[in-house]
Amino acid sequence: MPETHWLNDDEMAAWQAFLTAGALLNRRIEEQLKDESGLSHLQYEVLVRLGAAEGGRLRMTELAAVVVTSKSGLTYQVTQLEKAGLVRRSSCRDDVRGVYAVLTDEGRRRLEAAAPGHVGVVRAHLVDVLTPDQLAAVKEGLGEVARRLGG
Amino acid sequence: MPETHWLNDDEMAAWQAFLTAGALLNRRIEEQLKDESGLSHLQYEVLVRLGAAEGGRLRMTELAAVVVTSKSGLTYQVTQLEKAGLVRRSSCRDDVRGVYAVLTDEGRRRLEAAAPGHVGVVRAHLVDVLTPDQLAAVKEGLGEVARRLGG
DNA sequence: ACGGGGAAGTTCAAATTTGAACCACACCCC
DNA sequence: GGGGTGTGGTTCAAATTTGAACTTCCCCGT
């Protein structure tokens, strides 16, 4: 077995910063969203993706992929959102097995109501903290990371 | 109420990349760690922090802060690690309420055994994907983000 | 000394997540 | 046209996470 190629101090610091910033930021977002809109971050992301999709709907599997959750996790959350009236399921014409998650009018209203506060947090704690160069580096660098991991 | 200051395309892309890269990378890490070492990412982080601390031990609250979990979540995980013999609890001399989580010898062995594989994943999917400039930007920029959020 | 405000950890029930097993169907190739 | 293989979604039980409540105890000011 080859010698392990350890991380040097800068690499370690970068990885640590990435990990910690992600966790802390997510904690803030979760808290803010729950308080002001009664949604979890995941639920909010689901609504966002549906809101941006053609016809406000997406297949379950595709939705699970874009919000990065497991299929069973998405099944659960969509069921919750359905109970809350923000999303409904509709079957797929071309594929009997297929299911669409569809954003309801009420869902879109909730999304629009939640968005400003959410964006405010992301801006205050991430976007406005980074310099333009750093923002660009995050976009390009992490974009590539995500792409290679199959995002 | 003031007009919402929305994110422009670059800001949106950066935020999206950050979120997605984090989720996908974490998924990989979780999978790798579970397969090769039988540890969750959180458990691994706990061992790392203890391993790096003076005397291989840390107070519960401080440990919870550095690994970014809730106190109750840490209580649970330390209990699991204790059952596995990787960590033990020890009471604190100066503060009767205080509890130290201490890395056992077995815990250190497991940590050392798990580290190479873990580092390999972090390197392959994150560190080696970023250019030196991007790495520096992530370190500085996200480091600042974490710092401000109380990391 | 003494009371109040906090901090440290744990506990508990409820909510969520995980991953494997499963059903039904689509697709492809001989 | 009949398997064999793979995909889409759901289900299920077990594991984990969450947040609030609770118990103890520290620390500070009076």
Side-chain angles (χ1 to χ4, degrees):
Chain A
M1 100 185 77
E3 279 303 301
T4 298
H5 186 177
W6 299 102
L7 302 183
N8 65 34
D9 288 352
D10 277 349
E11 293 168 338
M12 190 84 92
W15 163 231
Q16 189 55 238
F18 179 60
L19 201 57
T20 305
L24 289 174
L25 182 51
N26 197 56
R27 173 182 284 184
R28 270 306 159 83
I29 288 173
E30 208 74 65
E31 171 186 55
Q32 188 275 333
L33 235 24
K34 195 78 71 181
D35 285 356
E36 291 182 24
S37 313
L39 295 170
S40 67
H41 189 188
L42 177 53
Q43 291 176 330
Y44 177 81
E45 282 299 316
V46 166
L47 297 186
V48 167
R49 297 308 189 139
L50 290 179
E54 280 303 312
R57 62 182 205 173
L58 241 29
R59 291 285 293 269
M60 293 297 280
T61 297
E62 188 179 356
L63 185 50
V66 294
V67 300
V68 192
T69 353
S70 61
K71 288 188 301 171
S72 58
L74 183 65
T75 290
Y76 175 77
Q77 283 302 166
V78 165
T79 300
Q80 296 312 104
L81 290 169
E82 208 168 23
K83 286 179 188 167
L86 309 183
V87 162
R88 68 185 169 72
R89 278 178 230 248
S90 115
S91 50
C92 181
R93 195 168 302 286
D94 354 329
D95 187 337
V96 185
R97 299 165 304 171
V99 172
Y100 277 113
V102 191
L103 190 61
T104 64
D105 291 343
E106 173 64 10
R108 194 172 293 276
R109 274 194 291 279
R110 281 286 286 281
L111 172 57
E112 285 167 0
H118 173 71
V119 170
V121 172
V122 173
R123 181 172 282 296
H125 298 294
L126 179 72
V127 174
D128 284 352
V129 173
L130 301 178
T131 66
D133 284 355
Q134 290 169 344
L135 191 81
V138 165
K139 175 187 146 190
E140 322 257 299
L142 297 185
E144 179 64 15
V145 168
R147 217 165 298 123
R148 296 201 192 188
L149 280 166
Chain B
M1 102 183 77
E3 279 301 303
T4 297
H5 187 177
W6 299 103
L7 301 183
N8 65 35
D9 288 352
D10 277 348
E11 294 168 337
M12 190 85 92
W15 163 231
Q16 190 53 241
F18 179 59
L19 200 57
T20 305
L24 290 173
L25 182 51
N26 197 55
R27 174 182 281 183
R28 269 306 158 81
I29 289 173
E30 208 73 65
E31 171 185 52
Q32 190 275 334
L33 234 25
K34 195 78 74 184
D35 284 356
E36 292 182 24
S37 313
L39 295 170
S40 67
H41 189 187
L42 177 54
Q43 292 176 330
Y44 177 81
E45 283 297 318
V46 166
L47 298 186
V48 167
R49 296 310 189 137
L50 290 180
E54 281 303 313
R57 64 184 201 169
L58 241 29
R59 290 284 293 270
M60 293 296 281
T61 297
E62 188 179 356
L63 186 49
V66 294
V67 301
V68 193
T69 355
S70 61
K71 289 188 302 170
S72 59
L74 183 65
T75 290
Y76 175 78
Q77 282 303 166
V78 166
T79 301
Q80 296 311 105
L81 289 169
E82 208 168 21
K83 286 179 188 165
L86 309 184
V87 162
R88 70 186 167 72
R89 278 179 229 248
S90 114
S91 49
C92 181
R93 195 168 303 287
D94 355 330
D95 187 339
V96 185
R97 299 166 305 172
V99 172
Y100 277 113
V102 190
L103 190 61
T104 64
D105 291 343
E106 174 63 10
R108 195 172 293 276
R109 275 195 290 280
R110 281 286 285 284
L111 172 57
E112 285 167 1
H118 173 71
V119 170
V121 172
V122 173
R123 183 172 281 297
H125 298 294
L126 179 73
V127 174
D128 284 352
V129 173
L130 301 178
T131 65
D133 283 354
Q134 290 170 344
L135 192 80
V138 165
K139 175 187 146 192
E140 322 258 300
L142 297 185
E144 181 62 15
V145 168
R147 217 164 299 124
R148 296 200 192 189
L149 280 166

